[in-house]
Amino acid sequence: GAGVSQSPSNKVTEKGKDVELRCDPISGHTALYWYRQRLGQGLEFLIYFQGNSAPDKSGLPSDRFSAERTGESVSTLTIQRTQQEDSAVYLCASTQRVLPDTQYFGPGTRLTVL
Amino acid sequence: AQTVTQSQPEMSVQEAETVTLSCTYDTSESDYYLFWYKQPPSRQMILVIRQEAYKQQNATENRFSVNFQKAAKSFSLKISDSQLGDAAMYFCAYRRDVQFYFGTGTSLTVIP
């Protein structure tokens, strides 16, 4: 089946604008993660969704960041009033019910804030 | 806090040779998982190999193997018979419960 998909692939925005990033997990995957990867850095955990449970938002860097997920399907990550330090690749990953330790990643969205 | 350290920002290896990428981590837990992920220029993160901390036997996947030293909190990746397609960023990751923690990566160049 199809892997994790993300859109847009690239996004350029002006400082102060809001952006919305989308993630389509693999069908049937109950868990979904968002990560931020700054240039030359590792992955920074942002938020985690598991089924219908309350999301783990402990990684969100500020209240300008929020995310939603409808059931076990699409998730959107919203960044309000973007700042230049928000420029990064935003990666989404989903995991299977049976093997929650294996993450399947999407190709990411490269966000550039001018 | 759990942290993952990859002390080699860049490594290179001749095609067909063997290279070892190092990773250390910090944890007070006894039950956890460790991973190596590969990220080629396409940005797609691909699982290379994983190790359960309770298993003493080192994980192996074809040309990829790990040297897991639990007491030393070390988890190195060995790539044998390196191929041009192995060129990528390699990330070491630690998982405890639902949280994953990643190192800063090692950029591997394969020289023809």
Side-chain angles (χ1 to χ4, degrees), chain A residues 9 33 35 37 42 45 48 101-103 105 107-108, chain B residues 35 37 39 43-45 50 91 95 98 100 103:
Chain A
S9 160
Y33 296 77
Y35 293 92
Q37 185 179 25
F45 167 79
Y48 162 78
D101 57 320
T102 300
Q103 293 190 311
F105 282 84
Chain B
F35 305 83
Y37 279 90
Q39 186 180 41
R43 295 201 307 247
Q44 187 79 47
M45 293 279 283
R50 71 169 182 262
F91 292 95
R95 174 190 163 235
V98 300
F100 286 78

mmCIF file with all atom_site columns, all heavy atoms in Angstrom, chain A residues 9 33 35 37 42 45 48 101-103 105 107-108, chain B residues 35 37 39 43-45 50 91 95 98 100 103:
data_model
loop_
_atom_site.group_PDB
_atom_site.id
_atom_site.type_symbol
_atom_site.label_atom_id
_atom_site.label_alt_id
_atom_site.label_comp_id
_atom_site.label_asym_id
_atom_site.label_entity_id
_atom_site.label_seq_id
_atom_site.pdbx_PDB_ins_code
_atom_site.Cartn_x
_atom_site.Cartn_y
_atom_site.Cartn_z
_atom_site.occupancy
_atom_site.B_iso_or_equiv
_atom_site.pdbx_formal_charge
_atom_site.auth_seq_id
_atom_site.auth_comp_id
_atom_site.auth_asym_id
_atom_site.auth_atom_id
_atom_site.pdbx_PDB_model_num
ATOM 1   N N   . SER A 1 9   ? 5.179  19.692 -0.376 1.00 0.00 ? 9   SER A N   1
ATOM 2   C CA  . SER A 1 9   ? 6.560  19.236 -0.299 1.00 0.00 ? 9   SER A CA  1
ATOM 3   C C   . SER A 1 9   ? 7.470  20.379 0.148  1.00 0.00 ? 9   SER A C   1
ATOM 4   O O   . SER A 1 9   ? 8.404  20.166 0.930  1.00 0.00 ? 9   SER A O   1
ATOM 5   C CB  . SER A 1 9   ? 6.967  18.717 -1.673 1.00 0.00 ? 9   SER A CB  1
ATOM 6   O OG  . SER A 1 9   ? 8.307  18.675 -1.825 1.00 0.00 ? 9   SER A OG  1
ATOM 7   N N   . TYR A 1 33  ? 3.182  10.742 14.557 1.00 0.00 ? 33  TYR A N   1
ATOM 8   C CA  . TYR A 1 33  ? 4.151  11.655 15.176 1.00 0.00 ? 33  TYR A CA  1
ATOM 9   C C   . TYR A 1 33  ? 4.459  12.794 14.218 1.00 0.00 ? 33  TYR A C   1
ATOM 10  O O   . TYR A 1 33  ? 4.544  12.590 13.009 1.00 0.00 ? 33  TYR A O   1
ATOM 11  C CB  . TYR A 1 33  ? 5.476  10.945 15.457 1.00 0.00 ? 33  TYR A CB  1
ATOM 12  C CG  . TYR A 1 33  ? 5.449  9.814  16.449 1.00 0.00 ? 33  TYR A CG  1
ATOM 13  C CD1 . TYR A 1 33  ? 4.949  8.566  16.104 1.00 0.00 ? 33  TYR A CD1 1
ATOM 14  C CD2 . TYR A 1 33  ? 5.968  9.982  17.730 1.00 0.00 ? 33  TYR A CD2 1
ATOM 15  C CE1 . TYR A 1 33  ? 4.948  7.515  17.014 1.00 0.00 ? 33  TYR A CE1 1
ATOM 16  C CE2 . TYR A 1 33  ? 5.983  8.943  18.649 1.00 0.00 ? 33  TYR A CE2 1
ATOM 17  C CZ  . TYR A 1 33  ? 5.469  7.706  18.280 1.00 0.00 ? 33  TYR A CZ  1
ATOM 18  O OH  . TYR A 1 33  ? 5.482  6.678  19.186 1.00 0.00 ? 33  TYR A OH  1
ATOM 19  N N   . TYR A 1 35  ? 7.617  15.648 13.748 1.00 0.00 ? 35  TYR A N   1
ATOM 20  C CA  . TYR A 1 35  ? 8.961  16.032 14.155 1.00 0.00 ? 35  TYR A CA  1
ATOM 21  C C   . TYR A 1 35  ? 9.377  17.281 13.384 1.00 0.00 ? 35  TYR A C   1
ATOM 22  O O   . TYR A 1 35  ? 8.915  17.532 12.275 1.00 0.00 ? 35  TYR A O   1
ATOM 23  C CB  . TYR A 1 35  ? 9.982  14.931 13.833 1.00 0.00 ? 35  TYR A CB  1
ATOM 24  C CG  . TYR A 1 35  ? 9.825  13.658 14.610 1.00 0.00 ? 35  TYR A CG  1
ATOM 25  C CD1 . TYR A 1 35  ? 9.061  12.605 14.116 1.00 0.00 ? 35  TYR A CD1 1
ATOM 26  C CD2 . TYR A 1 35  ? 10.459 13.485 15.838 1.00 0.00 ? 35  TYR A CD2 1
ATOM 27  C CE1 . TYR A 1 35  ? 8.924  11.423 14.814 1.00 0.00 ? 35  TYR A CE1 1
ATOM 28  C CE2 . TYR A 1 35  ? 10.330 12.300 16.544 1.00 0.00 ? 35  TYR A CE2 1
ATOM 29  C CZ  . TYR A 1 35  ? 9.564  11.277 16.027 1.00 0.00 ? 35  TYR A CZ  1
ATOM 30  O OH  . TYR A 1 35  ? 9.434  10.113 16.729 1.00 0.00 ? 35  TYR A OH  1
ATOM 31  N N   . GLN A 1 37  ? 12.945 19.049 11.928 1.00 0.00 ? 37  GLN A N   1
ATOM 32  C CA  . GLN A 1 37  ? 14.361 18.817 11.665 1.00 0.00 ? 37  GLN A CA  1
ATOM 33  C C   . GLN A 1 37  ? 14.973 20.087 11.108 1.00 0.00 ? 37  GLN A C   1
ATOM 34  O O   . GLN A 1 37  ? 14.767 20.440 9.939  1.00 0.00 ? 37  GLN A O   1
ATOM 35  C CB  . GLN A 1 37  ? 14.563 17.653 10.692 1.00 0.00 ? 37  GLN A CB  1
ATOM 36  C CG  . GLN A 1 37  ? 16.011 17.285 10.479 1.00 0.00 ? 37  GLN A CG  1
ATOM 37  C CD  . GLN A 1 37  ? 16.201 16.113 9.523  1.00 0.00 ? 37  GLN A CD  1
ATOM 38  O OE1 . GLN A 1 37  ? 15.363 15.843 8.664  1.00 0.00 ? 37  GLN A OE1 1
ATOM 39  N NE2 . GLN A 1 37  ? 17.306 15.395 9.664  1.00 0.00 ? 37  GLN A NE2 1
ATOM 40  N N   . GLY A 1 42  ? 19.296 16.772 14.240 1.00 0.00 ? 42  GLY A N   1
ATOM 41  C CA  . GLY A 1 42  ? 18.482 15.566 14.313 1.00 0.00 ? 42  GLY A CA  1
ATOM 42  C C   . GLY A 1 42  ? 17.016 15.924 14.366 1.00 0.00 ? 42  GLY A C   1
ATOM 43  O O   . GLY A 1 42  ? 16.615 17.064 14.156 1.00 0.00 ? 42  GLY A O   1
ATOM 44  N N   . PHE A 1 45  ? 11.133 15.973 18.502 1.00 0.00 ? 45  PHE A N   1
ATOM 45  C CA  . PHE A 1 45  ? 9.745  15.551 18.677 1.00 0.00 ? 45  PHE A CA  1
ATOM 46  C C   . PHE A 1 45  ? 8.847  16.762 18.932 1.00 0.00 ? 45  PHE A C   1
ATOM 47  O O   . PHE A 1 45  ? 9.171  17.647 19.724 1.00 0.00 ? 45  PHE A O   1
ATOM 48  C CB  . PHE A 1 45  ? 9.663  14.576 19.856 1.00 0.00 ? 45  PHE A CB  1
ATOM 49  C CG  . PHE A 1 45  ? 8.265  14.309 20.340 1.00 0.00 ? 45  PHE A CG  1
ATOM 50  C CD1 . PHE A 1 45  ? 7.442  13.439 19.658 1.00 0.00 ? 45  PHE A CD1 1
ATOM 51  C CD2 . PHE A 1 45  ? 7.777  14.930 21.479 1.00 0.00 ? 45  PHE A CD2 1
ATOM 52  C CE1 . PHE A 1 45  ? 6.146  13.185 20.101 1.00 0.00 ? 45  PHE A CE1 1
ATOM 53  C CE2 . PHE A 1 45  ? 6.496  14.687 21.933 1.00 0.00 ? 45  PHE A CE2 1
ATOM 54  C CZ  . PHE A 1 45  ? 5.672  13.812 21.247 1.00 0.00 ? 45  PHE A CZ  1
ATOM 55  N N   . TYR A 1 48  ? 2.436  13.808 19.416 1.00 0.00 ? 48  TYR A N   1
ATOM 56  C CA  . TYR A 1 48  ? 2.129  12.397 19.174 1.00 0.00 ? 48  TYR A CA  1
ATOM 57  C C   . TYR A 1 48  ? 0.641  12.170 19.360 1.00 0.00 ? 48  TYR A C   1
ATOM 58  O O   . TYR A 1 48  ? 0.056  12.626 20.345 1.00 0.00 ? 48  TYR A O   1
ATOM 59  C CB  . TYR A 1 48  ? 2.944  11.552 20.164 1.00 0.00 ? 48  TYR A CB  1
ATOM 60  C CG  . TYR A 1 48  ? 2.471  10.134 20.357 1.00 0.00 ? 48  TYR A CG  1
ATOM 61  C CD1 . TYR A 1 48  ? 2.757  9.154  19.428 1.00 0.00 ? 48  TYR A CD1 1
ATOM 62  C CD2 . TYR A 1 48  ? 1.756  9.776  21.506 1.00 0.00 ? 48  TYR A CD2 1
ATOM 63  C CE1 . TYR A 1 48  ? 2.341  7.849  19.620 1.00 0.00 ? 48  TYR A CE1 1
ATOM 64  C CE2 . TYR A 1 48  ? 1.336  8.466  21.704 1.00 0.00 ? 48  TYR A CE2 1
ATOM 65  C CZ  . TYR A 1 48  ? 1.634  7.510  20.760 1.00 0.00 ? 48  TYR A CZ  1
ATOM 66  O OH  . TYR A 1 48  ? 1.224  6.220  20.943 1.00 0.00 ? 48  TYR A OH  1
ATOM 67  N N   . ASP A 1 101 ? 6.846  -0.012 17.540 1.00 0.00 ? 101 ASP A N   1
ATOM 68  C CA  . ASP A 1 101 ? 8.181  0.533  17.641 1.00 0.00 ? 101 ASP A CA  1
ATOM 69  C C   . ASP A 1 101 ? 8.780  0.867  16.293 1.00 0.00 ? 101 ASP A C   1
ATOM 70  O O   . ASP A 1 101 ? 9.844  1.442  16.235 1.00 0.00 ? 101 ASP A O   1
ATOM 71  C CB  . ASP A 1 101 ? 9.108  -0.462 18.361 1.00 0.00 ? 101 ASP A CB  1
ATOM 72  C CG  . ASP A 1 101 ? 9.136  -1.804 17.662 1.00 0.00 ? 101 ASP A CG  1
ATOM 73  O OD1 . ASP A 1 101 ? 8.074  -2.246 17.208 1.00 0.00 ? 101 ASP A OD1 1
ATOM 74  O OD2 . ASP A 1 101 ? 10.213 -2.397 17.576 1.00 0.00 ? 101 ASP A OD2 1
ATOM 75  N N   . THR A 1 102 ? 8.141  0.528  15.201 1.00 0.00 ? 102 THR A N   1
ATOM 76  C CA  . THR A 1 102 ? 8.690  0.832  13.889 1.00 0.00 ? 102 THR A CA  1
ATOM 77  C C   . THR A 1 102 ? 7.939  2.009  13.296 1.00 0.00 ? 102 THR A C   1
ATOM 78  O O   . THR A 1 102 ? 6.757  1.924  13.032 1.00 0.00 ? 102 THR A O   1
ATOM 79  C CB  . THR A 1 102 ? 8.586  -0.379 12.953 1.00 0.00 ? 102 THR A CB  1
ATOM 80  O OG1 . THR A 1 102 ? 9.313  -1.464 13.521 1.00 0.00 ? 102 THR A OG1 1
ATOM 81  C CG2 . THR A 1 102 ? 9.142  -0.033 11.590 1.00 0.00 ? 102 THR A CG2 1
ATOM 82  N N   . GLN A 1 103 ? 8.630  3.105  13.106 1.00 0.00 ? 103 GLN A N   1
ATOM 83  C CA  . GLN A 1 103 ? 8.018  4.289  12.524 1.00 0.00 ? 103 GLN A CA  1
ATOM 84  C C   . GLN A 1 103 ? 8.236  4.297  11.022 1.00 0.00 ? 103 GLN A C   1
ATOM 85  O O   . GLN A 1 103 ? 9.326  4.005  10.547 1.00 0.00 ? 103 GLN A O   1
ATOM 86  C CB  . GLN A 1 103 ? 8.642  5.553  13.114 1.00 0.00 ? 103 GLN A CB  1
ATOM 87  C CG  . GLN A 1 103 ? 8.347  5.754  14.577 1.00 0.00 ? 103 GLN A CG  1
ATOM 88  C CD  . GLN A 1 103 ? 8.786  7.118  15.049 1.00 0.00 ? 103 GLN A CD  1
ATOM 89  O OE1 . GLN A 1 103 ? 9.894  7.540  14.807 1.00 0.00 ? 103 GLN A OE1 1
ATOM 90  N NE2 . GLN A 1 103 ? 7.902  7.813  15.728 1.00 0.00 ? 103 GLN A NE2 1
ATOM 91  N N   . PHE A 1 105 ? 8.126  6.898  7.943  1.00 0.00 ? 105 PHE A N   1
ATOM 92  C CA  . PHE A 1 105 ? 8.189  8.345  7.773  1.00 0.00 ? 105 PHE A CA  1
ATOM 93  C C   . PHE A 1 105 ? 7.682  8.784  6.411  1.00 0.00 ? 105 PHE A C   1
ATOM 94  O O   . PHE A 1 105 ? 7.843  8.089  5.405  1.00 0.00 ? 105 PHE A O   1
ATOM 95  C CB  . PHE A 1 105 ? 9.633  8.828  7.926  1.00 0.00 ? 105 PHE A CB  1
ATOM 96  C CG  . PHE A 1 105 ? 10.098 8.910  9.345  1.00 0.00 ? 105 PHE A CG  1
ATOM 97  C CD1 . PHE A 1 105 ? 10.588 7.795  9.994  1.00 0.00 ? 105 PHE A CD1 1
ATOM 98  C CD2 . PHE A 1 105 ? 10.041 10.117 10.029 1.00 0.00 ? 105 PHE A CD2 1
ATOM 99  C CE1 . PHE A 1 105 ? 11.033 7.872  11.310 1.00 0.00 ? 105 PHE A CE1 1
ATOM 100 C CE2 . PHE A 1 105 ? 10.481 10.205 11.342 1.00 0.00 ? 105 PHE A CE2 1
ATOM 101 C CZ  . PHE A 1 105 ? 10.975 9.083  11.988 1.00 0.00 ? 105 PHE A CZ  1
ATOM 102 N N   . PRO A 1 107 ? 7.952  12.001 3.455  1.00 0.00 ? 107 PRO A N   1
ATOM 103 C CA  . PRO A 1 107 ? 9.101  12.694 2.863  1.00 0.00 ? 107 PRO A CA  1
ATOM 104 C C   . PRO A 1 107 ? 9.346  14.076 3.438  1.00 0.00 ? 107 PRO A C   1
ATOM 105 O O   . PRO A 1 107 ? 10.358 14.704 3.130  1.00 0.00 ? 107 PRO A O   1
ATOM 106 C CB  . PRO A 1 107 ? 8.715  12.785 1.388  1.00 0.00 ? 107 PRO A CB  1
ATOM 107 C CG  . PRO A 1 107 ? 7.218  12.800 1.406  1.00 0.00 ? 107 PRO A CG  1
ATOM 108 C CD  . PRO A 1 107 ? 6.802  11.944 2.561  1.00 0.00 ? 107 PRO A CD  1
ATOM 109 N N   . GLY A 1 108 ? 8.432  14.555 4.260  1.00 0.00 ? 108 GLY A N   1
ATOM 110 C CA  . GLY A 1 108 ? 8.634  15.839 4.905  1.00 0.00 ? 108 GLY A CA  1
ATOM 111 C C   . GLY A 1 108 ? 8.146  17.027 4.102  1.00 0.00 ? 108 GLY A C   1
ATOM 112 O O   . GLY A 1 108 ? 7.941  16.950 2.889  1.00 0.00 ? 108 GLY A O   1
ATOM 113 N N   . PHE B 2 35  ? 17.417 2.241  17.573 1.00 0.00 ? 35  PHE B N   1
ATOM 114 C CA  . PHE B 2 35  ? 17.219 2.161  16.131 1.00 0.00 ? 35  PHE B CA  1
ATOM 115 C C   . PHE B 2 35  ? 18.340 2.887  15.399 1.00 0.00 ? 35  PHE B C   1
ATOM 116 O O   . PHE B 2 35  ? 18.941 3.832  15.925 1.00 0.00 ? 35  PHE B O   1
ATOM 117 C CB  . PHE B 2 35  ? 15.910 2.852  15.713 1.00 0.00 ? 35  PHE B CB  1
ATOM 118 C CG  . PHE B 2 35  ? 14.682 2.362  16.422 1.00 0.00 ? 35  PHE B CG  1
ATOM 119 C CD1 . PHE B 2 35  ? 14.341 2.839  17.669 1.00 0.00 ? 35  PHE B CD1 1
ATOM 120 C CD2 . PHE B 2 35  ? 13.867 1.423  15.827 1.00 0.00 ? 35  PHE B CD2 1
ATOM 121 C CE1 . PHE B 2 35  ? 13.216 2.397  18.330 1.00 0.00 ? 35  PHE B CE1 1
ATOM 122 C CE2 . PHE B 2 35  ? 12.728 0.972  16.472 1.00 0.00 ? 35  PHE B CE2 1
ATOM 123 C CZ  . PHE B 2 35  ? 12.406 1.463  17.727 1.00 0.00 ? 35  PHE B CZ  1
ATOM 124 N N   . TYR B 2 37  ? 18.332 4.780  11.663 1.00 0.00 ? 37  TYR B N   1
ATOM 125 C CA  . TYR B 2 37  ? 17.572 5.185  10.499 1.00 0.00 ? 37  TYR B CA  1
ATOM 126 C C   . TYR B 2 37  ? 18.527 5.793  9.483  1.00 0.00 ? 37  TYR B C   1
ATOM 127 O O   . TYR B 2 37  ? 19.523 6.435  9.833  1.00 0.00 ? 37  TYR B O   1
ATOM 128 C CB  . TYR B 2 37  ? 16.518 6.239  10.858 1.00 0.00 ? 37  TYR B CB  1
ATOM 129 C CG  . TYR B 2 37  ? 15.249 5.677  11.448 1.00 0.00 ? 37  TYR B CG  1
ATOM 130 C CD1 . TYR B 2 37  ? 15.118 5.508  12.824 1.00 0.00 ? 37  TYR B CD1 1
ATOM 131 C CD2 . TYR B 2 37  ? 14.172 5.329  10.639 1.00 0.00 ? 37  TYR B CD2 1
ATOM 132 C CE1 . TYR B 2 37  ? 13.936 5.009  13.373 1.00 0.00 ? 37  TYR B CE1 1
ATOM 133 C CE2 . TYR B 2 37  ? 12.992 4.832  11.181 1.00 0.00 ? 37  TYR B CE2 1
ATOM 134 C CZ  . TYR B 2 37  ? 12.894 4.673  12.549 1.00 0.00 ? 37  TYR B CZ  1
ATOM 135 O OH  . TYR B 2 37  ? 11.737 4.178  13.088 1.00 0.00 ? 37  TYR B OH  1
ATOM 136 N N   . GLN B 2 39  ? 18.692 8.408  6.146  1.00 0.00 ? 39  GLN B N   1
ATOM 137 C CA  . GLN B 2 39  ? 17.966 9.478  5.457  1.00 0.00 ? 39  GLN B CA  1
ATOM 138 C C   . GLN B 2 39  ? 18.766 9.901  4.231  1.00 0.00 ? 39  GLN B C   1
ATOM 139 O O   . GLN B 2 39  ? 19.713 10.668 4.324  1.00 0.00 ? 39  GLN B O   1
ATOM 140 C CB  . GLN B 2 39  ? 17.730 10.675 6.384  1.00 0.00 ? 39  GLN B CB  1
ATOM 141 C CG  . GLN B 2 39  ? 16.848 11.747 5.759  1.00 0.00 ? 39  GLN B CG  1
ATOM 142 C CD  . GLN B 2 39  ? 16.615 12.926 6.679  1.00 0.00 ? 39  GLN B CD  1
ATOM 143 O OE1 . GLN B 2 39  ? 17.521 13.384 7.368  1.00 0.00 ? 39  GLN B OE1 1
ATOM 144 N NE2 . GLN B 2 39  ? 15.377 13.430 6.711  1.00 0.00 ? 39  GLN B NE2 1
ATOM 145 N N   . ARG B 2 43  ? 15.110 12.800 1.635  1.00 0.00 ? 43  ARG B N   1
ATOM 146 C CA  . ARG B 2 43  ? 14.551 13.132 2.959  1.00 0.00 ? 43  ARG B CA  1
ATOM 147 C C   . ARG B 2 43  ? 13.748 11.988 3.572  1.00 0.00 ? 43  ARG B C   1
ATOM 148 O O   . ARG B 2 43  ? 13.336 12.084 4.716  1.00 0.00 ? 43  ARG B O   1
ATOM 149 C CB  . ARG B 2 43  ? 13.654 14.371 2.932  1.00 0.00 ? 43  ARG B CB  1
ATOM 150 C CG  . ARG B 2 43  ? 14.291 15.672 2.591  1.00 0.00 ? 43  ARG B CG  1
ATOM 151 C CD  . ARG B 2 43  ? 13.457 16.838 3.088  1.00 0.00 ? 43  ARG B CD  1
ATOM 152 N NE  . ARG B 2 43  ? 12.087 16.808 2.662  1.00 0.00 ? 43  ARG B NE  1
ATOM 153 C CZ  . ARG B 2 43  ? 11.542 17.695 1.821  1.00 0.00 ? 43  ARG B CZ  1
ATOM 154 N NH1 . ARG B 2 43  ? 12.301 18.627 1.270  1.00 0.00 ? 43  ARG B NH1 1
ATOM 155 N NH2 . ARG B 2 43  ? 10.275 17.634 1.517  1.00 0.00 ? 43  ARG B NH2 1
ATOM 156 N N   . GLN B 2 44  ? 13.521 10.921 2.831  1.00 0.00 ? 44  GLN B N   1
ATOM 157 C CA  . GLN B 2 44  ? 12.720 9.813  3.355  1.00 0.00 ? 44  GLN B CA  1
ATOM 158 C C   . GLN B 2 44  ? 13.508 9.039  4.403  1.00 0.00 ? 44  GLN B C   1
ATOM 159 O O   . GLN B 2 44  ? 14.541 8.456  4.106  1.00 0.00 ? 44  GLN B O   1
ATOM 160 C CB  . GLN B 2 44  ? 12.333 8.874  2.207  1.00 0.00 ? 44  GLN B CB  1
ATOM 161 C CG  . GLN B 2 44  ? 11.375 7.790  2.601  1.00 0.00 ? 44  GLN B CG  1
ATOM 162 C CD  . GLN B 2 44  ? 9.951  8.291  2.679  1.00 0.00 ? 44  GLN B CD  1
ATOM 163 O OE1 . GLN B 2 44  ? 9.471  8.974  1.785  1.00 0.00 ? 44  GLN B OE1 1
ATOM 164 N NE2 . GLN B 2 44  ? 9.263  7.972  3.757  1.00 0.00 ? 44  GLN B NE2 1
ATOM 165 N N   . MET B 2 45  ? 13.027 9.032  5.626  1.00 0.00 ? 45  MET B N   1
ATOM 166 C CA  . MET B 2 45  ? 13.688 8.278  6.695  1.00 0.00 ? 45  MET B CA  1
ATOM 167 C C   . MET B 2 45  ? 13.343 6.797  6.541  1.00 0.00 ? 45  MET B C   1
ATOM 168 O O   . MET B 2 45  ? 12.167 6.434  6.463  1.00 0.00 ? 45  MET B O   1
ATOM 169 C CB  . MET B 2 45  ? 13.206 8.771  8.061  1.00 0.00 ? 45  MET B CB  1
ATOM 170 C CG  . MET B 2 45  ? 13.636 10.178 8.386  1.00 0.00 ? 45  MET B CG  1
ATOM 171 S SD  . MET B 2 45  ? 15.307 10.260 9.003  1.00 0.00 ? 45  MET B SD  1
ATOM 172 C CE  . MET B 2 45  ? 15.079 9.706  10.679 1.00 0.00 ? 45  MET B CE  1
ATOM 173 N N   . ARG B 2 50  ? 16.923 -2.370 14.223 1.00 0.00 ? 50  ARG B N   1
ATOM 174 C CA  . ARG B 2 50  ? 16.494 -2.031 15.573 1.00 0.00 ? 50  ARG B CA  1
ATOM 175 C C   . ARG B 2 50  ? 16.948 -3.105 16.548 1.00 0.00 ? 50  ARG B C   1
ATOM 176 O O   . ARG B 2 50  ? 17.196 -4.253 16.173 1.00 0.00 ? 50  ARG B O   1
ATOM 177 C CB  . ARG B 2 50  ? 14.983 -1.849 15.643 1.00 0.00 ? 50  ARG B CB  1
ATOM 178 C CG  . ARG B 2 50  ? 14.174 -3.107 15.507 1.00 0.00 ? 50  ARG B CG  1
ATOM 179 C CD  . ARG B 2 50  ? 12.721 -2.827 15.864 1.00 0.00 ? 50  ARG B CD  1
ATOM 180 N NE  . ARG B 2 50  ? 11.922 -4.035 15.798 1.00 0.00 ? 50  ARG B NE  1
ATOM 181 C CZ  . ARG B 2 50  ? 11.179 -4.369 14.750 1.00 0.00 ? 50  ARG B CZ  1
ATOM 182 N NH1 . ARG B 2 50  ? 11.115 -3.578 13.711 1.00 0.00 ? 50  ARG B NH1 1
ATOM 183 N NH2 . ARG B 2 50  ? 10.480 -5.475 14.774 1.00 0.00 ? 50  ARG B NH2 1
ATOM 184 N N   . PHE B 2 91  ? 20.888 8.246  11.379 1.00 0.00 ? 91  PHE B N   1
ATOM 185 C CA  . PHE B 2 91  ? 20.460 8.713  12.690 1.00 0.00 ? 91  PHE B CA  1
ATOM 186 C C   . PHE B 2 91  ? 20.273 7.542  13.631 1.00 0.00 ? 91  PHE B C   1
ATOM 187 O O   . PHE B 2 91  ? 19.617 6.552  13.294 1.00 0.00 ? 91  PHE B O   1
ATOM 188 C CB  . PHE B 2 91  ? 19.140 9.482  12.590 1.00 0.00 ? 91  PHE B CB  1
ATOM 189 C CG  . PHE B 2 91  ? 19.248 10.797 11.876 1.00 0.00 ? 91  PHE B CG  1
ATOM 190 C CD1 . PHE B 2 91  ? 18.954 10.902 10.526 1.00 0.00 ? 91  PHE B CD1 1
ATOM 191 C CD2 . PHE B 2 91  ? 19.654 11.932 12.556 1.00 0.00 ? 91  PHE B CD2 1
ATOM 192 C CE1 . PHE B 2 91  ? 19.061 12.121 9.869  1.00 0.00 ? 91  PHE B CE1 1
ATOM 193 C CE2 . PHE B 2 91  ? 19.756 13.162 11.915 1.00 0.00 ? 91  PHE B CE2 1
ATOM 194 C CZ  . PHE B 2 91  ? 19.458 13.247 10.563 1.00 0.00 ? 91  PHE B CZ  1
ATOM 195 N N   . ARG B 2 95  ? 14.089 4.724  21.911 1.00 0.00 ? 95  ARG B N   1
ATOM 196 C CA  . ARG B 2 95  ? 12.665 4.794  22.203 1.00 0.00 ? 95  ARG B CA  1
ATOM 197 C C   . ARG B 2 95  ? 12.385 4.224  23.588 1.00 0.00 ? 95  ARG B C   1
ATOM 198 O O   . ARG B 2 95  ? 12.817 3.135  23.921 1.00 0.00 ? 95  ARG B O   1
ATOM 199 C CB  . ARG B 2 95  ? 11.844 4.005  21.198 1.00 0.00 ? 95  ARG B CB  1
ATOM 200 C CG  . ARG B 2 95  ? 10.370 3.959  21.577 1.00 0.00 ? 95  ARG B CG  1
ATOM 201 C CD  . ARG B 2 95  ? 9.572  2.992  20.741 1.00 0.00 ? 95  ARG B CD  1
ATOM 202 N NE  . ARG B 2 95  ? 8.294  2.720  21.414 1.00 0.00 ? 95  ARG B NE  1
ATOM 203 C CZ  . ARG B 2 95  ? 7.874  1.511  21.723 1.00 0.00 ? 95  ARG B CZ  1
ATOM 204 N NH1 . ARG B 2 95  ? 8.586  0.451  21.404 1.00 0.00 ? 95  ARG B NH1 1
ATOM 205 N NH2 . ARG B 2 95  ? 6.722  1.348  22.339 1.00 0.00 ? 95  ARG B NH2 1
ATOM 206 N N   . VAL B 2 98  ? 6.366  5.761  24.265 1.00 0.00 ? 98  VAL B N   1
ATOM 207 C CA  . VAL B 2 98  ? 5.977  6.266  22.954 1.00 0.00 ? 98  VAL B CA  1
ATOM 208 C C   . VAL B 2 98  ? 6.944  7.324  22.424 1.00 0.00 ? 98  VAL B C   1
ATOM 209 O O   . VAL B 2 98  ? 6.829  7.758  21.292 1.00 0.00 ? 98  VAL B O   1
ATOM 210 C CB  . VAL B 2 98  ? 4.555  6.861  22.987 1.00 0.00 ? 98  VAL B CB  1
ATOM 211 C CG1 . VAL B 2 98  ? 3.553  5.802  23.397 1.00 0.00 ? 98  VAL B CG1 1
ATOM 212 C CG2 . VAL B 2 98  ? 4.474  8.063  23.907 1.00 0.00 ? 98  VAL B CG2 1
ATOM 213 N N   . PHE B 2 100 ? 10.367 8.944  21.025 1.00 0.00 ? 100 PHE B N   1
ATOM 214 C CA  . PHE B 2 100 ? 11.590 8.653  20.276 1.00 0.00 ? 100 PHE B CA  1
ATOM 215 C C   . PHE B 2 100 ? 12.534 9.842  20.415 1.00 0.00 ? 100 PHE B C   1
ATOM 216 O O   . PHE B 2 100 ? 12.110 10.991 20.318 1.00 0.00 ? 100 PHE B O   1
ATOM 217 C CB  . PHE B 2 100 ? 11.290 8.434  18.792 1.00 0.00 ? 100 PHE B CB  1
ATOM 218 C CG  . PHE B 2 100 ? 10.633 7.118  18.475 1.00 0.00 ? 100 PHE B CG  1
ATOM 219 C CD1 . PHE B 2 100 ? 9.285  6.928  18.709 1.00 0.00 ? 100 PHE B CD1 1
ATOM 220 C CD2 . PHE B 2 100 ? 11.367 6.076  17.932 1.00 0.00 ? 100 PHE B CD2 1
ATOM 221 C CE1 . PHE B 2 100 ? 8.674  5.708  18.408 1.00 0.00 ? 100 PHE B CE1 1
ATOM 222 C CE2 . PHE B 2 100 ? 10.760 4.860  17.619 1.00 0.00 ? 100 PHE B CE2 1
ATOM 223 C CZ  . PHE B 2 100 ? 9.419  4.675  17.865 1.00 0.00 ? 100 PHE B CZ  1
ATOM 224 N N   . GLY B 2 103 ? 19.608 11.249 17.544 1.00 0.00 ? 103 GLY B N   1
ATOM 225 C CA  . GLY B 2 103 ? 20.887 11.942 17.535 1.00 0.00 ? 103 GLY B CA  1
ATOM 226 C C   . GLY B 2 103 ? 20.934 12.951 16.409 1.00 0.00 ? 103 GLY B C   1
ATOM 227 O O   . GLY B 2 103 ? 19.979 13.080 15.630 1.00 0.00 ? 103 GLY B O   1
#
